[in-house]
Amino acid sequence: MTKIKYQPVIGLEIHVELNTKAKMFCHCLASHFQAKPNQNVCPVCLGLPGAMPYPNKLALYKTLVIARLLNCQINPASSFERKHYFYPDLPKGYQLTQYIKPLGYNGYLQIEDIKYPIRRVHQEEDTAKLKHQIVNGQKLSLVDFNRSGVPLVEIVTEPAFSSARQAVVFLKTLQKLLRFHQVSDCDMEKGSMRLEANVSVKKASDAKLPDYKVELKNINSFKFTAEAIDYEIKRQIKLLEKSKAIPQQTRGYDPKLKRTFPQRQKEEAHDYKYLLEPDIPPIHLPKSWLEETKNLTPANQLLQEWINKGWPESVVKILFTHFDHLSWWRKLEEQIIKKQIDRKKLGHFLLKNKSRYYLKPASQLVQDFLAGQHVVDDSKLLTQTIDQIIKDNPQAVEDFLAGKQQALYFLLGRLRYKIGNVDAPKVIKMIKDRLTKLKTSSNSLT
Ligand code: ADP
Ligand code: MG
Ligand code: ZN
């Protein structure tokens, strides 16, 4: 009997917290990593009765940017719905989200020659955070509302991945892209990027998707995501080989035991009873926003453009990490062209001195670079200065005479400090000749 071939099916749901200053529906500060518990709260994000939510414009704009970067169709008119469920981290009893009309839909992210399809990109709000602690010997669950109402974007892919490796390459690319465009920090450890991987397995010959999926939740690194998916694929194949049904489930991952474990049976979508939020009028994205975001250059394309101009790849990839840096690079490029500077040499000089020059006035960088490039070659000046440093550094001279070649480099350093850049091999030879002469003349004296 031939063995049945199985094919994994993986779909991703990614939540990213936007890096806006304010929360999604109130003016409270959104940053919650260093705040004291329940410091940034108000009636809106505490879900007190009668509080009125008002959407954060910048958050909507950044969500539009994400949708554009992922090549989505855009819903210029959309709305917010209440997604009902009960949990202590959700004081209102519902989360505001875009269910009916996501801001973006039917997009894709291209990696090399594969276009991974994106089902939707929508705006929602984060929940509060629970802390399970022992206080005065009592086991308690504490609620910190600082995170409640932080702008969140959910990105849902189609079940289009067939291996853990593929899924992780996608996630890493997405993280880079969103960081580059400064919409989110995408920090997995801090939780500003959170992943759910849905995994099922089908017979390779089946055209249809399996009628179940297992959702892997609360995994906070790419490495563990890959491990969890791989484990899950093996587990499911084993069950299928025994002709056992696989229940629809949410599972967590234990990195120590390197295996997934059941958390709960999944709610069906209709349990949430989505209802239109009556306190937020319909959202209409301004025409100007739609225009502005139409031709966003994705990060990889932009980096390639710069590499094609002749910048060293390592320099571009290490330094050019945010879209906002673009105007700085453009200014530098102007000077490079005007002064006919070698981009390779300047690039490495910049990388070596990045804290001094990167994103600082480009003219200073260019000036210092050119000064460094200029080689002092006046032989009279060189001879005079060499005599001077020999006089000023008797210890180094003694070291050289005792056979320590290192001393030459010390003297070269002193010389450079005095008169600037010089042709090192040539000057080393000059110093050596001078010292050798000194030696023979002092020998002849004794
Ligand atoms: P739900 O309504 O339960 O949220 P969706 O159909 O909206 O389910 O899909 C949620 C996520 O699960 C998406 O990322 C999607 O790609 C993925 N998914 C859907 N069906 C499967 C499947 N059979 N196997 C793996 N992932 C799947
Ligand atoms: Mg889900
Ligand atoms: Zn608030």
Side-chain angles (χ1 to χ4, degrees), residues 6-268:
Y6 291 101
Q7 191 189 336
V9 179
I10 303 156
L12 301 168
E13 293 166 277
I14 303 115
H15 283 94
V16 295
E17 281 184 353
L18 295 176
N19 57 2
T20 55
K21 203 158 180 197
K23 290 189 180 180
M24 189 59 222
F25 297 109
C26 58
H27 286 312
C28 292
L29 284 179
S31 156
H32 54 90
F33 294 113
Q34 267 149 21
K36 282 192 215 116
N38 296 306
Q39 184 183 345
N40 302 325
V41 296
C42 75
V44 173
C45 54
L46 284 172
L48 300 184
M52 292 291 266
Y54 28 87
N56 179 336
K57 263 194 176 176
L58 184 59
L60 286 168
Y61 185 83
K62 291 196 173 204
T63 305
L64 174 61
V65 168
I66 296 177
R68 289 292 203 196
L69 290 171
L70 297 175
N71 304 292
C72 286
Q73 308 285 309
I74 306 294
N75 272 316
S78 57
S79 53
F80 280 98
E81 285 81 35
R82 298 177 171 188
K83 174 183 180 177
H84 296 85
Y85 65 95
F86 172 78
Y87 207 64
D89 65 6
L90 190 71
K92 295 195 291 272
Y94 56 83
Q95 178 191 31
L96 289 178
T97 181
Q98 294 188 303
Y99 179 63
I100 303 171
K101 282 190 167 183
L103 206 141
Y105 60 99
N106 284 356
Y108 64 87
L109 176 57
Q110 181 156 357
I111 302 174
E112 284 165 6
D113 47 5
I114 305 179
K115 282 182 179 173
Y116 294 102
I118 308 284
R119 187 179 286 178
R120 53 190 285 145
V121 171
H122 68 253
Q123 178 85 69
E124 54 187 37
E125 57 174 340
D126 212 342
T127 58
K129 215 171 177 172
L130 294 181
K131 272 189 201 153
H132 308 286
Q133 269 181 12
I134 296 180
V135 181
N136 299 331
Q138 246 190 318
K139 259 182 152 178
L140 291 181
S141 292
L142 306 172
V143 191
D144 178 2
F145 286 95
N146 285 336
R147 201 182 68 178
S148 169
V150 167
L152 207 58
V153 171
E154 180 168 357
I155 300 162
V156 184
T157 76
E158 293 294 339
F161 306 92
S162 51
S163 71
R165 201 193 64 84
Q166 246 185 10
V168 168
V169 168
F170 174 91
L171 291 167
K172 285 185 176 166
T173 308
L174 180 69
Q175 182 188 49
K176 249 196 187 157
L177 182 68
L178 301 187
R179 281 182 175 166
F180 191 87
H181 288 272
Q182 289 193 308
V183 289
S184 170
D185 301 336
C186 288
D187 189 321
M188 299 267 293
E189 257 169 56
K190 286 183 177 162
S192 56
M193 181 178 196
R194 306 197 283 269
L195 319 172
E196 285 150 37
N198 300 274
V199 182
S200 66
V201 172
K202 68 181 187 70
K203 285 188 195 136
S205 55
D206 277 358
K208 260 187 27 193
L209 288 178
D211 57 3
Y212 75 94
K213 62 182 153 53
V214 171
E215 190 173 358
L216 301 175
K217 269 200 153 148
N218 303 321
I219 307 173
N220 63 358
S221 80
F222 292 134
K223 183 169 166 266
F224 294 158
T225 302
E227 288 177 11
I229 293 174
D230 278 335
Y231 177 87
E232 195 50 33
I233 292 169
K234 282 194 201 120
R235 186 186 72 90
Q236 292 183 20
I237 290 178
K238 258 189 217 154
L239 288 171
L240 291 176
E241 280 172 342
K242 288 187 213 154
S243 301
K244 284 195 178 153
I246 299 162
Q248 176 118 336
Q249 235 180 12
T250 298
R251 296 175 76 91
Y253 180 65
D254 184 330
K256 282 207 191 92
L257 297 174
K258 289 191 185 293
R259 63 181 193 217
T260 66
F261 59 90
Q263 283 186 321
R264 62 180 155 95
Q265 304 294 329
K266 175 108 182 71
E267 317 87 346
E268 290 294 324

Side-chain angles (χ1 to χ4, degrees), residues 322-431:
H322 289 307
F323 187 74
D324 286 12
H325 299 182
L326 182 58
S327 62
W328 186 86
W329 282 96
R330 286 198 173 131
K331 276 196 198 116
L332 179 59
E333 188 60 24
E334 272 172 29
Q335 304 235 3
I336 297 274
I337 293 168
K338 208 160 66 191
K339 304 204 165 143
Q340 305 222 331
I341 296 171
D342 178 351
R343 293 180 183 80
K344 281 221 163 64
K345 280 193 187 150
L346 179 78
H348 291 301
F349 175 75
L350 172 60
L351 195 56
K352 241 192 254 161
N353 302 286
K354 78 175 180 220
S355 58
R356 181 138 39 119
Y357 298 117
Y358 193 54
L359 305 179
K360 313 259 164 73
S363 51
Q364 190 65 47
L365 162 64
V366 167
Q367 194 181 312
D368 290 1
F369 171 72
L370 288 175
Q373 286 300 99
H374 177 68
V375 174
V376 177
D377 201 24
D378 175 338
S379 47
K380 201 172 145 205
L381 177 64
L382 284 175
T383 323
Q384 274 175 2
T385 318
I386 288 171
D387 283 346
Q388 189 62 44
I389 55 161
I390 285 177
K391 207 169 134 202
D392 292 348
N393 297 280
Q395 183 60 50
V397 174
E398 207 173 290
D399 288 350
F400 172 75
L401 295 177
K404 286 185 190 159
Q405 294 291 310
Q406 265 319 100
L408 288 175
Y409 293 94
F410 172 79
L411 293 170
L412 173 68
R414 302 310 303 159
L415 181 113
R416 275 190 165 149
Y417 180 77
K418 273 195 169 4
I419 59 172
N421 197 17
V422 292
D423 178 349
K426 179 180 151 184
V427 170
I428 291 255
K429 188 170 177 306
M430 283 174 79
I431 300 175

